[in-house]
Amino acid sequence: MKKVAILTAYKENFSFNKDIYKEASIVMKKVFLENNIDLVRVSLSQFNNEKNIFNEYIDINNNWEIIVIKWDYKPDVIFNRIKVWNLYNNEILSSYTQVPSFKIIEIAKDKYEMSLFLKELQPKTFLLSTFYDEFEELSKQIWDKLVLKPVNWNSWDWIKFLSQSELLEQKNNYKDFWKMFIIQEFKDFSKWYNELISWVHDVRLVYVWWNFSFSIVRQPAKWNLKSNIWAWWSQFSLPYESIPTELFELSKEAIKRLKTTKLDIFSIDFAFCKDENKWYILEINCSPWVWFPESDREYQIKYF
């Protein structure tokens, strides 16, 4: 039996933050067992550098309860689920096969670096420092309505819609953080599926080892811009035959530019601007997690 360990950030204990995470994890555990794969969770806090092994692991027992096993554990593959990843951590685990690759993690966690790879496939993007330092020169090519985003992937609550004048007025608020934010041209991404959705929404395509797995339409709540289960969001599956062909073409180009490896699992998020009749890539997510209601369980099983 092969051994796969999901690398998490727990220190003294582990728990599922929401029941739907536990539900998804149970489905994943079942799918892996059916394919003769042992699936557990481990933490860097329990890694023994001298022995190059984990001192304990987290498992789900036959009653689907979380249990801590105080045994050494050496997985064949590590699936990284840590949001903050760095070169030091990568070197510690260098002897292990890791999914996704360190390269795509580095790109996905830095929205500005991501924009350099994607360029015209995304809305125009600048560092906030460039906006302030070169405003006189850029003002003619920078749009009146902007989206302010943190460079770091895990700071979604700082996303704001602003005008040029508002951003200039707030200059002092960001004076120590200019290189920690990007600005993007605002696009109206609310009108692709507008017979069902009247708010901003996107389409996520998930890839496993270069192969398309599934797609969903995601809609955040109107008071929040993050399309995940923490944000009172909703989603529904998008059948393969309903996916616009342009998205596969854009995916192919993005994969080519990012030079993803056979071990990468990632998603690409798209949004449609009806005013331009054009699809844009919003971002790449190197560690997508999924939960589906019972009616869409086949998509979740296929991905796992």
Side-chain angles (χ1 to χ4, degrees):
M1 178 175 281
K2 290 289 185 180
K3 297 179 179 180
V4 173
I6 299 175
L7 186 65
T8 62
Y10 79 88
K11 293 184 178 179
E12 296 180 356
N13 54 58
F14 176 84
S15 63
F16 293 105
N17 296 29
K18 287 184 178 290
D19 288 342
I20 54 178
Y21 276 151
K22 182 177 180 179
E23 181 183 329
S25 294
I26 289 173
V27 174
M28 187 176 185
K29 178 79 174 180
K30 289 178 178 178
V31 171
F32 274 55
L33 285 175
E34 289 170 0
N35 288 275
N36 202 33
I37 300 170
D38 184 38
L39 179 69
V40 303
R41 284 170 170 77
V42 295
S43 170
L44 276 177
S45 65
Q46 298 298 330
F47 186 72
N48 188 318
N49 288 309
E50 293 181 0
K51 297 169 64 176
N52 194 35
I53 205 166
F54 294 91
N55 292 328
E56 70 172 42
Y57 60 96
I58 300 292
D59 204 353
I60 301 175
N61 64 18
N62 292 334
N63 295 320
W64 306 114
E65 299 167 332
I66 300 169
I67 54 174
V68 179
I69 310 295
K70 296 289 186 179
W71 275 124
D72 289 347
Y73 195 83
K74 189 176 180 65
D76 297 299
V77 176
I78 291 176
F79 179 23
N80 172 35
R81 291 292 299 159
I82 294 181
K83 289 297 184 183
V84 179
W85 192 248
N86 55 47
L87 185 60
Y88 174 69
N89 292 344
N90 189 57
E91 289 176 347
I92 288 177
L93 301 174
S94 60
S95 64
Y96 285 92
T97 299
Q98 299 173 55
V99 179
S101 65
F102 180 64
K103 176 188 174 183
I104 198 169
I105 289 175
E106 288 291 283
I107 294 172
K109 77 176 186 180
D110 186 322
K111 288 185 172 62
Y112 182 65
E113 184 173 358
M114 190 189 305
S115 74
L116 298 179
F117 277 88
L118 298 177
K119 293 186 178 178
E120 76 283 354
L121 304 182
Q122 275 193 321
K124 291 180 182 178
T125 304
F126 294 93
L127 275 172
L128 182 59
S129 57
T130 303
F131 173 79
Y132 287 134
D133 290 340
E134 304 175 26
F135 177 74
E136 292 299 325
E137 182 177 339
L138 290 176
S139 58
K140 295 179 182 179
Q141 59 174 302
I142 292 184
W143 337 268
D144 183 57
K145 200 166 185 180
L146 310 169
V147 183
L148 179 71
K149 296 180 180 180
V151 168
N152 182 278
W153 63 354
N154 206 29
S155 301
W156 57 270
D157 50 331
W158 282 89
I159 298 175
K160 295 180 180 179
F161 294 150
L162 298 165
S163 65
Q164 275 194 39
S165 57
E166 288 172 328
L167 198 53
L168 287 172
E169 290 170 2
Q170 297 179 26
K171 183 175 181 178
N172 289 336
N173 296 345
Y174 298 101
K175 64 180 180 180
D176 296 324
F177 309 102
W178 287 8
K179 292 186 178 180
M180 296 173 63
F181 288 88
I182 60 170
I183 56 169
Q184 287 185 324
E185 181 179 9
F186 172 83
K187 304 286 184 181
D188 183 354
F189 291 139
S190 65
K191 297 176 180 176
W192 178 61
Y193 227 98
N194 60 346
E195 66 269 25
L196 294 176
I197 299 174
S198 60
W199 174 239
V200 174
H201 52 281
D202 61 28
V203 178
R204 166 168 286 186
L205 269 59
V206 177
Y207 286 83
V208 180
W209 305 329
W210 295 323
N211 297 310
F212 169 75
S213 178
F214 69 91
S215 65
I216 53 177
V217 176
R218 308 183 306 159
Q219 177 193 17
K222 289 195 175 184
W223 61 86
N224 199 311
L225 297 175
K226 192 179 185 186
S227 299
N228 74 8
I229 58 179
W230 296 103
W232 301 96
W233 112 126
S234 60
Q235 71 171 34
F236 56 88
S237 302
L238 188 64
Y240 181 85
E241 58 273 14
S242 299
I243 302 171
T245 56
E246 302 99 305
L247 302 195
F248 291 113
E249 295 168 3
L250 287 169
S251 295
K252 185 176 180 180
E253 179 61 25
I255 291 169
K256 178 181 176 182
R257 295 186 187 190
L258 295 170
K259 297 181 180 177
T260 59
T261 72
K262 188 177 180 181
L263 291 178
D264 283 323
I265 299 171
F266 58 94
S267 64
I268 306 177
D269 297 338
F270 301 89
F272 183 71
C273 179
K274 190 172 183 178
D275 297 335
E276 303 174 24
N277 193 32
K278 180 177 179 179
W279 283 95
Y280 285 94
I281 294 179
L282 296 181
E283 63 180 27
I284 308 294
N285 187 323
C286 69
S287 191
W289 203 242
V290 291
W291 171 84
F292 286 108
E294 192 69 39
S295 59
D296 282 344
R297 187 53 49 83
E298 63 178 291
Y299 290 90
Q300 189 172 39
I301 292 174
K302 179 183 178 184
Y303 169 66
F304 288 158

